[in-house]
């Protein structure tokens, strides 16, 4: 009478077919079971027993897992399969297989750690795995395959089915490649920070060392100045006054010392960052060749400068277009070690560009394109909690009205002297 039907026959077959498709995107058995119950209610099918639902969902999840494994393995050619299987048998020179060696990475602190990370990154890049093999595979299933690969030892992986083993190896190789690239950038960030701290400490140490010399120099100038003033008041010879205060040679030395002290106290830490050049040189060209760096238009001059450091372009010029006109780096780019300071400046600005998002890595989770992190407009429109209008004209019109009203209220308060917490006196706003 009301259109309800039992979970049998064609209706049950349709629900099982729906369950197979939904199982690939389900994150757990409970999630799939809830969605199955909602689908049954939508199709007016009377729910089967809870144990039947659990068994149907569990079987669908296992079947979906096998389909995903087979889909990934089917996209691998014979050469790639051979390379991936070699990870489980190839030895790195000790008792560690290549597979276990690849997953042993963490953020480093110096150039030696950086080169060890680059060894792993370059090895994974040499596998030439295409990210297209993970097309239409849900992200949570990729994360699950990676977690399983990071728990298995090489011997355990060799004992599982071919499709499952190849899927785990392919996902781990691609995910580790992105993760190591992120860690390389973070390690470079730490090395730049360490270089800056050392330069600042060296600058502070020079100032501390110069304090005693500054005191002696000021005392000598005080003595000389007092002698000259006394001679001037007595209308005596200034030549004799200078001679009594130490002589012209002593005065010449005081002036030279004062000039040196002036340079010391006027110097900033950038004057000492060139000492970190050799540290950067041990890994920077290799790092810039290994990373797939993309840049926004504002950072294209910086990317062009990094290409020169990487050795991909041979040129005698060192462009400074990546620096602002008011940058302090300009003062330090006219000495004998100009090329060293220029390279250090580029690497310092690379760190800041990664932090700001002006440059990013392809297929990165942490340093990826910020546009990839944005919610699609279609999904945002379905979010009821958002109070922001989706048309920019509507938002701008509302803000203009609010600003106009606020300016009128401020004008009324200024005329009556009732500005909250402030006043306008002689044309100046005082808070």
């Amino acid at each position: 009478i009301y259109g309800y039907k039992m979970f049998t026959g064609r209706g049950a077959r349709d629900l099982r077919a729906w369950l197979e498709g939904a199982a690939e995107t389900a994150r757990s058995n409970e999630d799939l079971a809830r969605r199955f119950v909602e689908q049954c209610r939508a199709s007016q099918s009377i729910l089967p027993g809870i144990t039947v639902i659990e068994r149907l969902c569990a079987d669908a999840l296992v079947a979906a897992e096998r389909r995903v494994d087979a889909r990934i393995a089917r996209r691998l050619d014979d050469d790639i399969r051979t390379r991936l299987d070699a990870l489980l048998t190839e030895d790195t020179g000790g008792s560690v297989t290549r597979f276990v060696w690849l997953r042993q990475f963490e953020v480093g602190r110096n150039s030696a750690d950086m080169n060890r990370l680059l060894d792993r990154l370059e090895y994974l890049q040499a596998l030439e795995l295409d990210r297209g093999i993970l097309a239409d595979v849900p992200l949570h299933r990729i994360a699950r395959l990676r977690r399983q690969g990071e728990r298995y030892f090489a011997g355990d992986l060799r004992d599982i089915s071919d499709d499952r083993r190849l899927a785990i190896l392919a996902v781990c190789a691609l995910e580790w490649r992105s993760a190591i690239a992120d860690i390389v950038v973070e390690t470079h960030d730490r090395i730049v920070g360490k270089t800056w701290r050392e330069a600042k400490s060296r600058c502070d140490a020079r100032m501390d060392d110069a304090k005693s010399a500054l005191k002696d120099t000021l005392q000598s100038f005080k003595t000389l100045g007092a002698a000259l003033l006394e001679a001037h008041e007595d209308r005596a010879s200034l030549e004799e006054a200078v001679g009594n205060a130490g002589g012209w040679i002593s005065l010449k030395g005081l002036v030279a010392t004062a000039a040196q002290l002036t340079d010391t106290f006027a110097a900033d830490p950038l004057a000492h960052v060139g000492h970190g050049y050799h540290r950067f040189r041990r890994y920077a060209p290799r790092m810039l060749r290994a990373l797939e760096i993309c840049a926004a238009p504002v950072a294209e001059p910086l990317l062009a400068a990094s290409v020169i450091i990487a050795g991909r372009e041979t040129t005698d010029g060192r462009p400074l277009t990546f620096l602002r006109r008011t940058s302090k780096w300009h003062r330090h780019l006219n000495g004998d070690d100009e090329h060293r300071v220029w390279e250090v400046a580029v690497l310092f600005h690379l760190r800041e560009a990664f932090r700001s998002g002006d440059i990013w890595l392809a297929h990165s989770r942490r340093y990826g394109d910020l546009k990839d992190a944005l919610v699609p407009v279609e999904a945002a429109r379905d979010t009821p909690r958002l109070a922001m209008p989706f048309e920019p004209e509507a938002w701008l019109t509302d803000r203009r009205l609010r600003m106009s009203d606020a300016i009128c209220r401020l004008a009324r308060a200024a005329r009556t002297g009732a500005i909250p917490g402030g006043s306008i006196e002689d044309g100046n706003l005082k808070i």
Side-chain angles (χ1 to χ4, degrees):
I1 295 174
Y2 298 104
Y4 291 100
K5 53 183 177 291
M6 298 296 292
F7 185 73
T8 55
R10 181 176 179 180
R13 289 195 298 273
D14 292 342
L15 284 171
R16 285 193 177 94
W18 175 89
L19 198 60
E20 290 181 0
E24 287 194 16
T25 59
R27 293 182 174 273
S28 64
N29 203 331
E30 180 183 359
D31 176 35
L32 185 59
R34 290 181 184 277
R35 292 160 64 179
F36 177 73
V37 170
E38 293 173 0
Q39 184 67 16
C40 287
R41 289 171 175 165
S43 61
Q44 291 188 299
S45 299
I46 297 176
L47 297 178
I50 186 63
T51 55
V52 175
I53 295 176
E54 288 183 348
R55 185 173 62 253
L56 287 173
C57 292
D59 292 343
L61 286 172
V62 172
E65 187 176 87
R66 291 174 178 170
R67 284 198 306 274
V68 170
D69 296 341
R71 188 183 309 158
I72 296 174
R74 196 166 50 245
R75 295 168 178 171
L76 303 174
D77 57 33
D78 293 338
D79 184 35
I80 294 295
R81 288 169 179 250
T82 303
R83 294 183 186 181
L84 291 176
D85 282 332
L87 298 178
L88 304 177
T89 56
E90 186 178 343
D91 199 340
T92 58
S95 58
V96 178
T97 61
R98 182 70 63 179
F99 178 76
V100 175
W101 172 76
L102 284 172
R103 72 185 183 193
Q104 293 174 344
F105 56 86
E106 60 183 2
V107 182
R109 297 179 179 275
N110 50 45
S111 58
D113 294 338
M114 176 69 84
N115 281 307
R116 283 191 283 269
L117 289 170
L118 291 173
D119 288 340
R120 290 167 170 80
L121 179 58
E122 290 171 353
Y123 186 90
L124 290 171
Q125 290 174 341
L127 293 177
E128 297 181 350
L129 267 176
D130 185 9
R131 272 211 166 275
I133 64 174
L134 301 182
D136 65 32
V137 178
L139 291 177
H140 68 277
R141 291 203 170 273
I142 295 175
R144 188 175 302 171
L145 287 169
R146 174 182 172 176
R147 287 197 300 270
Q148 291 176 351
E150 291 174 345
R151 288 198 300 264
Y152 278 122
F153 288 101
D156 299 328
L157 274 176
R158 286 194 292 265
D159 295 337
I160 63 178
S161 63
D162 290 347
D163 288 349
R164 185 69 173 172
R165 182 182 69 255
L166 290 171
I168 290 176
L169 290 173
V171 166
C172 285
L174 288 172
E175 289 294 293
W176 291 346
R177 190 170 73 187
S178 299
I180 293 175
D182 288 346
I183 288 180
V184 164
V185 174
E186 188 173 351
T187 302
H188 173 67
D189 190 301
R190 290 190 177 187
I191 294 175
V192 169
K194 180 180 179 182
T195 303
W196 172 258
R197 289 191 298 272
E198 289 179 354
K200 193 173 184 303
S201 299
R202 191 174 284 110
C203 184
D204 293 341
R206 289 192 61 182
M207 288 186 180
D208 291 339
D209 295 340
K211 284 181 180 179
S212 59
L214 176 64
K215 181 179 178 181
D216 296 338
T217 303
L218 290 176
Q219 185 65 37
S220 300
F221 271 114
K222 175 185 175 183
T223 303
L224 177 61
L228 290 174
L229 289 174
E230 183 179 355
H232 176 69
E233 292 174 357
D234 296 341
R235 299 182 181 279
S237 172
L238 297 181
E239 183 83 21
E240 184 178 350
V242 172
N244 294 334
W248 293 102
I249 297 178
S250 177
L251 178 59
K252 186 177 180 180
L254 285 176
V255 172
T257 304
Q260 184 178 0
L261 290 173
T262 302
D263 294 339
T264 299
F265 282 95
D268 56 16
L270 291 181
H272 305 281
V273 295
H275 293 282
Y277 169 78
H278 296 290
R279 175 185 299 152
F280 290 121
R281 198 63 192 173
R282 293 188 192 104
Y283 74 86
R286 187 182 178 193
M287 177 190 75
L288 295 173
R289 287 192 296 268
L291 296 179
E292 300 177 45
I293 301 177
C294 306
V298 70
E300 287 180 355
L302 179 61
L303 187 60
S306 67
V307 169
I308 296 175
I309 297 178
R312 293 174 180 166
E313 289 186 6
T314 56
T315 177
D316 296 331
R318 297 181 182 85
L320 301 177
T321 50
F322 67 93
L323 294 174
R324 295 181 179 179
R325 292 183 179 179
T326 57
S327 176
K328 294 181 179 180
W329 286 95
H330 288 291
R331 297 203 308 263
H332 306 282
L333 289 171
N334 52 8
D336 296 335
D337 57 347
E338 178 182 353
H339 71 285
R340 298 187 177 188
V341 178
W342 180 83
E343 288 195 17
V344 174
V346 172
L347 295 172
F348 267 62
H349 281 74
L350 276 174
R351 180 183 80 153
E352 302 306 324
F354 271 119
R355 287 185 170 187
S356 65
D358 289 340
I359 63 175
W360 60 88
L361 298 178
H363 312 299
S364 170
R365 296 290 174 86
R366 180 170 181 179
Y367 298 100
D369 189 355
L370 295 180
K371 294 179 182 178
D372 296 338
L374 296 178
V375 177
V377 175
E378 294 76 13
R381 292 183 187 277
D382 297 334
T383 305
R385 295 191 300 273
L386 291 179
M388 180 71 64
F390 293 98
E391 292 74 21
E393 292 78 10
W395 185 86
L396 290 171
T397 302
D398 175 68
R399 291 291 155 170
R400 289 192 187 98
L401 291 175
R402 291 190 185 193
M403 185 180 295
S404 177
D405 177 65
I407 289 176
C408 290
R409 287 189 285 110
L410 177 63
R412 288 195 298 269
R415 282 195 297 268
T416 59
I419 297 178
S423 62
I424 294 180
E425 301 176 6
D426 298 329
N428 295 322
L429 176 62
K430 297 183 178 181
I431 303 296

